[in-house]
Amino acid sequence: MKLINNSILLGFLFTLGICNSQNTKTAQASLKNNFKGDFYIGTAINASQIEEKDTKADALIRKEFNSITAENIMKSMFVHPEKDRYDFAMTDKFVAYGEKNKMFIHGHTLIWHSQLAPWMAKIKDSTEMKAFMKDHISTIVSKYKGRINSWDVVNEALNEDGTLRKSVFLNTLGENYLIDAFKLAAQADPNVDLYYNDYNICEPKKREGVIKLVENIKTHGGKIDGVGIQGHWRLDSPSLEEIEKSILAYSKLGLKVAFTELDVTVLPNPWDLQGADVNQNFEGSAEMNPYPKTLPDSIQTKLAERYASIFKLFLKHKDKICRVTFWGVHDGQSWLNDWPIKGRTNYPLLFDSNLKPKKAYNSVMRLKELQNKELVKKHALKN
Ligand code: XIL
């Protein structure tokens, strides 16, 4: 009997990944292996990473992540540069990269007011806009039908107070453009998961806006499967309470929750800027770029603690969360080095610019190992 119990326990340890250190060949310690069974761990990849030009980064991506999002190349200005011309060269490579590495592939993004091709921004009336949306969404989604696992159908449609943002889409079609977009995407691929994605949607007013938007799409017969919380966060905000309220509120709508663009800035933000509006840009100064060479250990620790508390919350709600994606592979590549001020040195991710794991990486990994040990203890006590 004792023998059977021991072998059951051993099997249990293996599934938890706890035997990793002794059995490096079976399951290497990595983010994707540690959180297997909880949620996908994703990263946004840039053009050179898609083309496997950076071999060190490529090895890291394959080791640590099991989901990818294209940081830019799937956006309208790149994929649909002229009215009658699509350019799928890079998107084809992106999807092939994900398939080759057996990754969950996320499409970003179909309808967004930023990074539009110049011709799209000039669309003036509803007839033209309807034709654009039908062509754009149907062509792209059906091209990758069955190969892309989820899509950001609409990105950043809301203002901070939860009302709809003025955009070329709202101006020409009114609020029904959201319903149309989700219907067109579902027609093109009925099985792909469809998301609404935005920043700052853990803030109460904007969260209410998301809830209204989702309910409106559903009431009018649109299919929506999830909410993407971008997660461009700071060391001290948003609070864990607001993040938790948001996970609960969105999943109560019957939707999957994904954290789609996670990064935590450590740089000063004198304008109390909360969001991730790519069109907001400010002048730089030495004061605004306090850590040009290295990050002081005290801030490194703060970042590690912030990531640990965020992931602890994610684990608490792992039944509602299907993917956590970082916005970039390593600090050297992060968009936060150039936004909202160009040319700063930021440290928002789990890997430094030499691709080495940071304290924040260890804190996230340790969290999961501790949880596994607790489970084993409980299991041992039961027997
Ligand atoms: C950013 C990219 O990271 C940058 O390279 C690009 O210059 C601007 O866009 N919200 C989004 C992402 O949905 O697409 C944005 O990505 C960051 C904010």
Side-chain angles (χ1 to χ4, degrees), residues 71-72 75 108-109 112 115 155-156 197 199 230 232 261 276 278 327 335:
E71 186 178 2
N72 283 302
K75 293 171 181 172
H108 174 77
T109 174
W112 187 30
Q115 293 183 280
N155 197 32
E156 302 179 356
N197 191 54
Y199 60 81
Q230 289 187 3
H232 295 295
E261 305 185 13
V278 297
W327 204 240
W335 76 301

Side-chain angles (χ1 to χ4, degrees), residues 233-236 262-267 295-311 326 331 336 346-352 358-364:
W233 289 339
R234 295 148 298 278
L235 284 170
D236 55 358
L262 186 58
D263 49 24
V264 177
T265 181
V266 300
L267 295 185
L295 189 63
D297 212 45
S298 59
I299 317 278
Q300 200 77 260
T301 304
K302 268 194 190 155
L303 184 71
E305 287 167 0
R306 174 75 164 146
Y307 265 116
S309 60
I310 290 169
F311 269 78
F326 292 89
D331 286 347
L336 292 176
N346 210 333
Y347 303 82
L349 298 166
L350 300 191
F351 297 94
D352 69 17
K358 295 157 62 179
K359 229 180 202 171
Y361 175 88
N362 297 335
S363 74
V364 165

Side-chain angles (χ1 to χ4, degrees), residues 50-67:
I50 291 168
E51 294 195 298
E52 299 172 53
K53 286 188 176 156
D54 182 344
T55 44
K56 261 176 73 188
D58 189 46
L60 186 71
I61 295 166
R62 289 171 202 246
K63 173 174 176 260
E64 299 287 344
F65 302 99
N66 52 16
S67 173

